[in-house]
């Protein structure tokens, strides 16, 4: 699978979700979402973190940047959909461990997964509020003992990626950082309707419904200017 450097952020360019999933399992990788913000605001630390792992185009900005680099068939793969693609494809053959969200959210997530995927093997789960080094070590030891094939961590970046790297050193598996995906899956947070997602306008829907995001999204103008000027 081809990859390109976008402002120093190595981003893989899958031609399908199946290709990305297969690559992740073949190489026991940590999946890290890459979007316009992560490219625009990349630091030495964030670049290193993504480049050690498997960065994939989670947002349309990353897709456009990859196409600008000459990759024609790359597809956008939202992380909030990818983890469910992994569950759907592998729930009969792989085992899962989930970490993240408030206690009621993770419990609702597990309940819904078991209802939708009756054959799913969930080794264990816990909320995302790891408050001490002792709790973190307990999680590491539990994952080592349970030996899941897939670990989902929903805690936000870069916290979730740093934790996944610690876990990967103790237990080799496919890891994916999910941010707020459990909230979306359980309906606690509403995602943009399908039309907005299909037309790559999810960011606009979020802005309409949460005007305070303008301070964050105004920086994306700089991303598109740099993209147009071939600075990535």
């Amino acid at each position: 699978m081809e990859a390109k450097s976008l402002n120093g952020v190595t981003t893989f360019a899958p031609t399908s979700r199946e290709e990305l999933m297969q690559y992740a399992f073949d190489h026991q990788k940590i999946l890290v979402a890459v979007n316009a913000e992560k490219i625009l605001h990349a630091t030495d630390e964030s670049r290193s973190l993504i480049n050690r792992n498997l960065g994939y185009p989670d947002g349309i900005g990353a897709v456009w940047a990859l196409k600008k680099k000459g990759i024609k068939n790359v597809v956008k793969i939202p992380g909030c959909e990818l983890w469910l693609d992994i569950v759907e494809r592998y729930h009969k053959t792989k085992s899962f461990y989930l970490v993240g969200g408030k206690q009621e959210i993770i419990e609702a997530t597990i309940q819904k997964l078991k209802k939708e995927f009756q054959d799913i093997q969930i080794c264990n789960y816990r909320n995302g509020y790891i408050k001490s080094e002792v709790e973190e070590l307990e999680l590491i030891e539990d994952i080592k003992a349970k030996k899941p094939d897939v670990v989902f961590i929903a805690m936000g970046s870069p916290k979730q990626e740093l934790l996944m790297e610690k876990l990967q050193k103790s237990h080799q598996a496919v890891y994916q950082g999910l941010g707020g995906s459990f909230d979306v899956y359980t309906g606690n947070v509403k995602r943009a309707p399908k039309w907005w997602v299909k037309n790559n306008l999810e960011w606009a829907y979020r802005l309409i419904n949460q005007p305070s995001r303008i301070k964050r999204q105004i920086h994306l103008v700089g991303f598109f200017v740099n993209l147009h000027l071939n600075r990535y």
Side-chain angles (χ1 to χ4, degrees), residues 180 183-193 202 205-206 209:
D183 290 287
V184 174
Y185 180 59
T186 57
N188 190 54
V189 172
K190 185 179 179 182
R191 194 181 177 199
E202 194 167 1
Y205 179 85
R206 291 178 184 171
N209 286 273

Side-chain angles (χ1 to χ4, degrees), residues 130-193:
I130 300 173
K131 299 177 181 178
S132 67
E133 187 176 339
V134 171
E135 286 191 17
E136 184 177 281
L137 290 173
E138 287 175 347
L139 174 62
I140 292 172
E141 290 303 314
D142 194 46
I143 287 178
K144 283 173 64 177
K146 299 293 194 307
K147 295 181 170 57
D149 298 303
V150 182
V151 181
F152 295 124
I153 308 285
M155 298 171 69
S157 296
K159 188 175 181 180
Q160 62 192 16
E161 283 79 25
L162 294 170
L163 177 58
M164 288 189 292
E165 288 193 324
K166 289 182 181 179
L167 295 169
Q168 182 76 291
K169 291 177 181 178
S170 298
H171 173 68
Q172 290 286 308
V174 170
Y175 290 80
Q176 184 188 352
L178 300 184
S181 294
F182 294 161
D183 290 287
V184 174
Y185 180 59
T186 57
N188 190 54
V189 172
K190 185 179 179 182
R191 194 181 177 199

Side-chain angles (χ1 to χ4, degrees), residues 108-119:
T109 297
I110 298 300
Q111 185 177 11
K112 187 174 181 180
L113 285 172
K114 288 182 175 179
K115 183 178 180 180
E116 293 186 346
F117 306 97
Q118 295 183 7
D119 297 325

Side-chain angles (χ1 to χ4, degrees), residues 36-61:
E37 285 185 86
K38 288 184 180 179
I39 296 169
L40 177 65
H41 298 304
T43 63
D44 289 343
E45 183 178 2
S46 68
R47 288 186 185 97
S48 179
L49 182 58
I50 295 172
N51 295 350
R52 291 195 297 267
N53 299 298
L54 175 51
Y56 66 92
D58 166 81
I60 192 61

